[in-house]
Amino acid sequence: MKVDILTLFPAMFKGPFEESIVGRARQRGLLDVNILNIREYALDKHQQVDDYPYGGGAGMVMKADVLCRAIDAVKTPDAHLVYLSPQGPRLEQPTVVRLAKKPHLILLCGHYEGIDERVMNEVDEELSIGDYVLSGGELAAMVAVDAVTRLIPGALGDERSAQEESFAEGLLEYPHYTRPRTFRDREVPEVLLSGHHENIRRWRKKLSLERTLIKRPDLLLGRHFDQEERQMLEEILFDGEN
Ligand code: 9WO
């Protein structure tokens, strides 16, 4: 997958894309990230990228001509252009899955009071990472790249695939344990030491369901439960013993 990021603050991206899963995906050639400085598409001698808003008011607006020149420089026929803004629908895992299938993403990061509205003609999709205002779209673009990259086949290496993880099926993670067996008088649950893989699978699934019910009941609304899940929910709700 190719990702072009258009930003006035390219230095913000030094670092985050070198580390962990995203850094490794780039090293493996699974992800090609390009950071482009929007200022390089300002042609006047002062390289002006923003200007006062028509109608007056505080702050500056990013200029349409500069932004569209930057967009045209990276646009391909199969490119999907995303503008990160608090005004878009929330980026959630189904959207991450959809974006991960695109061969070419262009992420446009606004700053200041935002972009000239006429640039929205070029935008395929506006996305928000949450209901808060940042100083610009850069951190949101990093979140989107991170979430998408771990779904690229091979990006998680020989770790478990992103598909089999809990959020893929809309549930929270079950509890995890590693050595030592006893830590501050707390034991690892016996089933995990048993080697009985079917029992382990059911224990994890039941705890995923229970945790989701307690911590994020909203995730269960409108969800289809299979026979095993119904049985487990009944035990959670009416037995009270695990
Ligand atoms: C700043 C501002 C200052 C004075 C009066 C009105 C104002 N509006 C804004 C504003 O919304 N600035 C945005 C900064 C313009 C678009 C890029 N910026 C941004 C993106 N902030 N937060 C995001 C963002 C993106 C995705 N998900 C959450 C937040």
Side-chain angles (χ1 to χ4, degrees):
M1 160 176 295
K2 172 150 196 197
V3 182
D4 289 307
I5 300 179
L6 305 179
T7 173
L8 283 177
F9 299 93
M12 285 182 73
F13 295 87
K14 301 281 179 216
F17 290 162
E18 311 294 321
E19 301 292 331
S20 187
I21 289 163
V22 174
R24 205 173 54 197
R26 293 178 76 191
Q27 280 179 355
R28 290 178 178 175
L30 302 171
L31 175 69
D32 175 13
V33 190
N34 252 291
I35 314 296
L36 291 103
N37 189 343
I38 291 168
R39 193 171 296 279
E40 294 186 9
Y41 299 89
L43 301 181
D44 60 305
K45 72 169 177 183
H46 293 109
Q47 294 196 291
Q48 190 182 356
V49 294
D50 54 6
D51 206 339
Y52 301 100
Y54 274 120
M60 301 296 270
V61 176
M62 291 172 74
K63 288 166 64 61
D65 59 323
V66 176
L67 287 170
C68 286
R69 212 174 287 117
I71 290 168
D72 289 344
V74 294
K75 206 165 175 181
T76 59
D78 59 2
H80 185 72
L81 200 162
V82 176
Y83 177 51
L84 287 313
S85 130
Q87 297 188 31
R90 191 77 55 82
L91 176 67
E92 285 171 355
Q93 195 64 14
T95 302
V96 175
V97 170
R98 179 168 54 78
L99 293 179
K101 294 170 182 158
K102 306 279 187 191
H104 184 192
L105 294 177
I106 301 171
L107 306 182
L108 175 59
C109 305
H111 229 92
Y112 310 117
E113 275 57 70
I115 64 177
D116 188 306
E117 186 64 23
R118 292 166 290 188
V119 177
M120 293 307 291
N121 276 263
E122 308 299 314
V123 170
D124 295 305
E125 186 168 18
E126 196 173 10
L127 289 173
S128 166
I129 60 161
D131 288 341
Y132 32 78
V133 182
L134 303 168
S135 48
E138 284 79 8
L139 288 165
M142 290 180 214
V143 167
V145 169
D146 190 287
V148 164
T149 299
R150 36 191 312 296
L151 298 185
I152 298 173
L156 294 186
D158 47 308
E159 298 158 34
R160 101 194 138 142
S161 81
Q163 296 312 314
E164 68 175 88
E165 82 187 335
S166 284
F167 230 113
E169 32 176 327
L171 297 177
L172 300 183
E173 283 280 295
Y174 50 78
H176 301 283
Y177 296 88
T178 186
R179 290 187 289 182
R181 270 184 69 159
T182 309
F183 176 71
R184 297 187 176 173
D185 289 332
R186 293 191 60 194
E187 302 292 328
V188 172
E190 211 164 282
V191 62
L192 299 180
L193 310 172
S194 69
H196 192 308
H197 298 298
E198 176 61 10
N199 284 352
I200 292 170
R201 186 194 65 78
R202 279 193 275 119
W203 181 88
R204 286 176 167 167
K205 177 128 193 205
K206 186 172 174 182
L207 276 141
S208 278
L209 277 166
E210 185 180 56
R211 285 195 150 183
T212 309
L213 186 68
I214 290 165
K215 296 188 184 193
R216 291 293 307 278
D218 56 301
L219 295 178
L220 297 179
L221 287 173
R223 184 189 158 88
H224 173 78
F225 298 107
D226 63 25
Q227 194 48 51
E228 181 182 58
E229 290 166 340
R230 286 160 197 254
Q231 170 73 35
M232 288 173 174
L233 282 166
E234 189 171 290
E235 289 169 16
I236 292 164
L237 288 166
F238 300 115
D239 297 359
E241 64 201 47
N242 291 303

